[in-house]
């Protein structure tokens, strides 16, 4: 069965603004960082880490990046492929056409989805690779569809204002992730209590401060590994002082060890 789809990782820099555009297929955007806006018509949604945007055929949109770097997964799936993968019980075209335009995954859920996507991106070129890719696509679609059907995907009232409050903190993390960052340090830097910092950050992004820092470090390590850095260099350059801890954390978040990740 020949399936028409594409999965890739995309990195934008500060103030990158994509031109308004649309596609004749389904596009799924999986946000891996905070810091921007998804703009479609008069609707402006914040780009939260863990947000999955469902962009239907013909919908005109663009994204504005408001942090130093912004990474996401982009999945394109033709409607013919959705039809081929549908069943009497699970009509994928109908599900996506009537779904909420986005869902927000928590840290654990984003990790599970990222692991599936990373497996798809790093399939070894061997006999049966096409079957593996098709199976992984179906698992990715199923994961997203189940969350579309189960999540009450809504942005809390005032969440954009809350997001603006934490943007300086997010930028601070992005600028200093390679150094040691503590709650005390951030609290002093922005003159807020640790309790309020933790509650605001978790309530707005779905991540704890520490969880966000670790995830961002691992994503930056992925970039370094793709550029040819060794496992130890990548870990040290993104702020992991212990190589064993880096390898263990990387595998937990990405689903494979950094050494295996770098091979592909």
């Amino acid at each position: 069965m020949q399936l028409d789809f594409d999965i890739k990782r995309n990195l934008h820099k500060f103030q990158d603004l994509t031109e308004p555009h649309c596609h004749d297929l389904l596009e799924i955007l999986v946000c891996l960082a905070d810091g921007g806006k998804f703009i479609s018509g008069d609707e402006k949604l914040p780009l939260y880490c863990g947000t999955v945007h469902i962009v239907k055929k013909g919908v005109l949109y663009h994204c504005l990046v408001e942090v130093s770097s912004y990474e996401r997964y982009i999945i394109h799936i033709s409607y013919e492929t959705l039809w081929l993968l549908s069943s009497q019980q699970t009509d994928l075209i109908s599900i996506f056409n009537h779904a909420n335009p986005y869902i927000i995954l928590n840290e654990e859920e984003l990790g599970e989805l990222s692991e599936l996507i990373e497996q798809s991106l790093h399939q070894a070129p061997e006999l049966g690779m096409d079957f593996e890719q098709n199976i992984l696509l179906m698992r990715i679609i199923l994961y997203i569809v189940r969350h579309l059907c189960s999540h009450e995907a809504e942005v809390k009232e005032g969440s954009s204002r809350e997001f603006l409050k934490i943007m300086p903190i997010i930028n601070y993390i992005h600028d200093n992730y390679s150094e040691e960052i503590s709650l005390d340090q951030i609290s002093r830097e922005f003159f807020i209590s640790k309790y309020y910092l933790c509650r605001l950050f978790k309530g707005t992004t779905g991540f704890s401060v520490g969880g966000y820092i670790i995830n961002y470090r691992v994503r930056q390590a992925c970039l370094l590994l793709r550029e040819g850095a060794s496992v130890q260099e990548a870990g040290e350059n993104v702020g992991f002082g212990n190589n064993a801890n880096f390898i263990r954390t990387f595998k937990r978040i990405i689903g494979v060890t950094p050494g295996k990740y770098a091979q592909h």
Side-chain angles (χ1 to χ4, degrees), residues 40-91:
S40 179
D42 294 330
E43 189 173 38
K44 295 182 180 179
L45 299 173
L47 294 173
Y48 290 133
C49 183
T51 303
V52 179
H53 290 275
I54 310 298
V55 187
K56 301 161 192 173
K57 178 172 64 175
V59 171
L60 192 68
Y61 83 96
H62 61 288
C63 295
L64 173 64
V65 176
E66 298 174 336
V67 292
S68 54
S69 64
Y70 178 79
E71 192 171 17
R72 59 186 177 173
Y73 295 121
I74 300 177
I75 305 171
H76 290 140
I77 310 170
S78 73
Y79 278 78
E80 181 182 7
T81 293
L82 291 176
W83 179 79
L84 287 171
L85 296 177
S86 293
S87 66
Q88 186 173 357
Q89 180 184 5
T90 308
D91 183 344

Side-chain angles (χ1 to χ4, degrees), residues 95-114:
I95 290 171
F96 281 113
N97 280 343
H98 295 92
N100 286 307
Y102 67 96
I103 54 176
I104 300 177
L105 305 179
N106 62 34
E107 184 175 351
E108 180 180 354
E109 292 165 343
L110 178 60
E112 292 170 348
L113 179 57
S114 294

Side-chain angles (χ1 to χ4, degrees), residues 154-172:
E154 59 182 29
V155 175
K156 297 176 183 177
E157 184 178 354
S159 62
S160 293
R161 291 192 298 273
E162 297 301 301
F163 186 71
L164 289 176
K165 290 181 181 178
I166 68 164
M167 274 309 304
I169 299 171
I170 288 172
N171 284 324
Y172 180 83

Side-chain angles (χ1 to χ4, degrees), residues 9-219:
R9 188 187 298 100
N10 185 274
L11 179 68
H12 282 291
K13 297 297 185 181
F14 176 67
Q15 287 296 340
D16 273 359
L17 176 65
T18 60
E19 292 295 325
H21 63 286
C22 62
H23 299 279
D24 60 356
L25 37 67
L26 181 74
E27 184 171 55
I28 301 173
L29 308 177
V30 182
C31 303
L32 299 176
D34 297 319
K37 292 185 178 69
F38 177 92
I39 304 169
S40 179
D42 294 330
E43 189 173 38
K44 295 182 180 179
L45 299 173
L47 294 173
Y48 290 133
C49 183
T51 303
V52 179
H53 290 275
I54 310 298
V55 187
K56 301 161 192 173
K57 178 172 64 175
V59 171
L60 192 68
Y61 83 96
H62 61 288
C63 295
L64 173 64
V65 176
E66 298 174 336
V67 292
S68 54
S69 64
Y70 178 79
E71 192 171 17
R72 59 186 177 173
Y73 295 121
I74 300 177
I75 305 171
H76 290 140
I77 310 170
S78 73
Y79 278 78
E80 181 182 7
T81 293
L82 291 176
W83 179 79
L84 287 171
L85 296 177
S86 293
S87 66
Q88 186 173 357
Q89 180 184 5
T90 308
D91 183 344
L92 292 176
I93 293 177
S94 177
I95 290 171
F96 281 113
N97 280 343
H98 295 92
N100 286 307
Y102 67 96
I103 54 176
I104 300 177
L105 305 179
N106 62 34
E107 184 175 351
E108 180 180 354
E109 292 165 343
L110 178 60
E112 292 170 348
L113 179 57
S114 294
E115 182 175 347
L116 291 173
I117 294 174
E118 289 294 336
Q119 288 179 35
S120 177
L121 291 172
H122 296 94
Q123 283 292 300
E126 58 187 9
L127 182 65
M129 174 186 173
D130 52 344
F131 287 105
E132 290 280 0
Q133 290 279 30
N134 288 348
I135 291 169
L136 283 167
L137 172 68
M138 288 187 277
R139 291 180 64 191
I140 290 167
I141 291 175
L142 179 60
Y143 192 93
I144 293 171
V145 163
R146 283 177 171 168
H147 282 78
L148 280 172
C149 295
S150 65
H151 275 213
E152 287 296 326
E154 59 182 29
V155 175
K156 297 176 183 177
E157 184 178 354
S159 62
S160 293
R161 291 192 298 273
E162 297 301 301
F163 186 71
L164 289 176
K165 290 181 181 178
I166 68 164
M167 274 309 304
I169 299 171
I170 288 172
N171 284 324
Y172 180 83
I173 292 171
H174 289 189
D175 290 339
N176 297 280
Y177 67 90
S178 61
E179 308 295 331
E180 184 176 348
I181 305 176
S182 67
L183 278 175
D184 286 327
Q185 184 179 340
I186 296 175
S187 178
R188 289 194 302 270
E189 182 74 21
F190 293 96
F191 303 100
I192 57 176
S193 72
K194 288 189 289 184
Y195 171 77
Y196 180 69
L197 167 63
C198 293
R199 187 167 62 85
L200 177 64
F201 201 94
K202 178 75 171 180
T204 304
T205 69
F207 283 78
S208 66
V209 176
Y212 184 87
I213 293 170
I214 290 171
N215 269 268
Y216 189 76
R217 283 172 171 163
V218 168
R219 301 297 173 187

Side-chain angles (χ1 to χ4, degrees), residues 218-235:
V218 168
R219 301 297 173 187
Q220 295 305 305
C222 288
L223 298 179
L224 295 176
L225 291 169
R226 294 202 300 272
E227 293 171 356
S230 70
V231 171
Q232 185 167 346
E233 288 172 340

